[in-house]
Every structure is written in C-alpha cells, then in structure tokens.
Amino acid sequence: MAVTKFQQTIWSKKIQDDLELKTKLVANCTRAYEGDCKYANTVRILGVGEPTIGAYTGADITIEEMSDKDQLLLIDQANYFAFEVKDIDKAQSVPGLPEKYQAKAVHGLAVKRDTFVANLIKAGTNVTEVAGMTQDAIKAGIDNAIVALRERNFDGAGVIEITPAIYNVFKNHLVEIKTNNDEMVKRGVVGMYDNYEVCMSNNLAKDDNAVYCAVRSKDAIAFAGQINEVEAGRMEKRFSDYIRGLDTFGSKVIAEAELQVLKVTL
C-alpha cells in the first residue's frame, strides 16, 4: 500500500526552518544571493568597481565608465537523509512525533552546512596567530583581529565565532546580552564584545595543532541553500515506509578583507 497522506510541503518547510535555527556559522553569512539552489546551478553575485578619486585643479575632469564585477557562487554541495518509519500516516497524527523524526534529519544536515562554512574560514588568507588557550592570549588575539578588520576599513558590527573551550576562557570579558533576546540566543550568541556579537559553535574547523575561529562581518561569506526534495514511499522489502530528503547548498568567501581568521594553537 502506498503512502497516501504524506504532508510533503509541511515536512519540507519544517526541516528548512529548523535548519535555519540549528546552523550557527551559516546564520552569520549573507543570504542575499539565494537564487535557484538546485544542485550544480550557479548564482551570480553582482558588484561594482571602485571609482577613481582625482585631484580637482579647475581643468576639465575625467568621467570614467563604472565597471561591473561579479563572482559566481556554485551550488555544489548535496546531502541527503533517508530513514525508515513504521507508518508515516499514523506518525503524522501523533502530536510531537513528526518533529522527532524531523530532528533526526536536521541535526546531521546542520552539521554539514556549518562544517562547510568552517572550512572556508580555515582557508582564509588573513590570519591572526594566538599562541595558546590562556585568557590573555585569547583576548589579545581577538583585539588584534578586530583592529585588522578596522584597518581594512570595516567599521561595522561584526561577529566573533569561537568554540566552547575558548568561550570558557574568554567569557569574563563579554557583555551579557539581554535575557529576553530569544532570537540572539537561538543563533548561538553568548554575549557582546567591542560591538561584535560573540557566537559559540562546536563546528569550527580543527586540526592536530590548532582550532580556527573567526572575526568577520556578516557579509564576508555568502551562503545559498534549500531543501530541494522531501518525499515518502513504501519500503520494497519491509512492512514499513521511508522518508528521504535532499539538501543542496553552496557557500563562498566574497569579501576576504572582512574575514580575519583566529588561529588558536592548542
């Protein structure tokens, strides 16, 4: 017997919404270029060139033609989930049960999304070295990273992304966020420092010698992604149903000057 009452749209939207809440590093990326997020598609990111600033002497001025510049964001990541359900129609009728099934899918997809962004951070070209996990070293490293961004003319509010272990060392320097600011808490924000949100994540990149945190603007990295498919069917060789889905996305550093990697030696 085929699955007859599977609520495809509801499941897709719920999983997508939960993904937005579960991803901490993705939450600090610009989502202005979502476009069409089907696998192997390309999203074009448009920009403009820099005008020449000339000295005015009273003579005729030169009027230049502004040039366009663009970058391509390739939707080249695709991850799926697929799990068995004894009876989907029945499960959907039990309060709370669909959410439990959806949570199984969301956690793994969220880690994949955040890990991809974390590896982009690790590969960043602007690096502040932090020699050890002491309070003084962490504070000095974050201060130096903020200064580096400001010296490259970024003077807006940004985000500092650190691991739980580094947060534990650095937390005494943070200004607490308002306890009723639920939206910030959901995004993993644990405090403020020097006009920067401080966000804690388990998914930042590590290797044998260091962990790679970040001080960045929220326009430094672009992310585009969506749940393309969620569908249900009947297992071929079992008396049960299945649910499967596909998450496709792409991400790219689009403003290198607004990303400072904080390489903390372990």
Side-chain angles (χ1 to χ4, degrees), residues 63-82:
I63 300 177
E64 62 184 350
E65 182 178 348
M66 283 295 287
S67 59
D68 294 333
K69 63 177 183 179
D70 59 21
Q71 302 183 59
L72 298 180
L73 173 58
L74 181 61
I75 309 302
D76 59 353
Q77 302 299 303
N79 297 299
Y80 75 89
F81 62 87

Side-chain angles (χ1 to χ4, degrees), residues 36-264:
D36 188 350
C37 293
K38 292 188 181 297
Y39 183 69
N41 278 13
T42 300
V43 178
R44 187 175 297 276
I45 300 173
L46 299 177
V48 295
E50 295 290 336
T52 301
I53 307 300
Y56 182 65
T57 63
D60 290 346
I61 63 174
T62 300
I63 300 177
E64 62 184 350
E65 182 178 348
M66 283 295 287
S67 59
D68 294 333
K69 63 177 183 179
D70 59 21
Q71 302 183 59
L72 298 180
L73 173 58
L74 181 61
I75 309 302
D76 59 353
Q77 302 299 303
N79 297 299
Y80 75 89
F81 62 87
F83 53 86
E84 182 179 353
V85 182
K86 292 303 180 184
D87 186 330
I88 293 176
D89 292 342
K90 183 177 180 179
Q92 290 180 147
S93 68
V94 179
L97 198 54
E99 288 76 14
K100 290 181 180 179
Y101 281 113
Q102 290 157 2
K104 292 173 183 265
V106 166
H107 175 74
L109 295 178
V111 170
K112 288 289 188 181
R113 285 185 170 197
D114 264 3
T115 299
F116 190 84
V117 173
N119 286 327
L120 292 178
I121 291 170
K122 180 182 177 182
T125 57
N126 303 308
V127 181
T128 296
E129 301 273 354
V130 180
M133 292 275 287
T134 67
Q135 186 173 127
D136 289 344
I138 296 295
K139 183 181 185 303
I142 290 175
D143 287 342
N144 291 338
I146 292 174
V147 169
L149 284 185
R150 289 173 175 163
E151 287 180 341
R152 293 196 295 270
N153 297 320
F154 174 71
D155 57 2
V159 61
I160 301 167
E161 293 161 323
I162 55 178
T163 64
I166 293 175
Y167 165 73
N168 191 53
V169 172
F170 187 62
K171 63 185 178 183
N172 290 339
H173 295 288
L174 302 184
V175 175
E176 290 186 7
I177 60 175
K178 295 179 181 179
T179 55
N180 63 349
N181 198 330
D182 294 337
E183 289 305 312
M184 293 182 75
V185 172
K186 287 177 182 177
R187 291 191 289 107
V189 179
V190 292
M192 299 290 296
Y193 181 77
D194 199 1
N195 204 34
Y196 280 66
E197 294 177 359
V198 179
C199 183
M200 184 170 61
S201 172
N202 270 325
N203 296 326
L204 288 158
K206 299 177 183 178
D207 56 30
D208 292 340
N209 302 313
V211 59
Y212 298 84
C213 300
V215 179
R216 61 179 170 119
S217 80
K218 294 186 179 182
D219 292 320
I221 302 175
F223 182 94
Q226 69 182 36
I227 298 295
N228 280 137
E229 302 285 348
V230 176
E231 60 186 25
R234 192 68 177 165
M235 300 280 287
E236 183 179 354
K237 296 182 179 181
R238 299 186 188 181
F239 296 104
S240 56
D241 306 321
Y242 67 78
I243 299 174
R244 63 188 181 188
L246 180 65
D247 177 34
T248 58
F249 66 87
S251 189
K252 181 177 183 177
V253 177
I254 60 171
E256 193 76 51
E258 296 180 12
L259 167 63
Q260 190 75 18
V261 182
L262 203 65
K263 182 180 178 182
V264 182

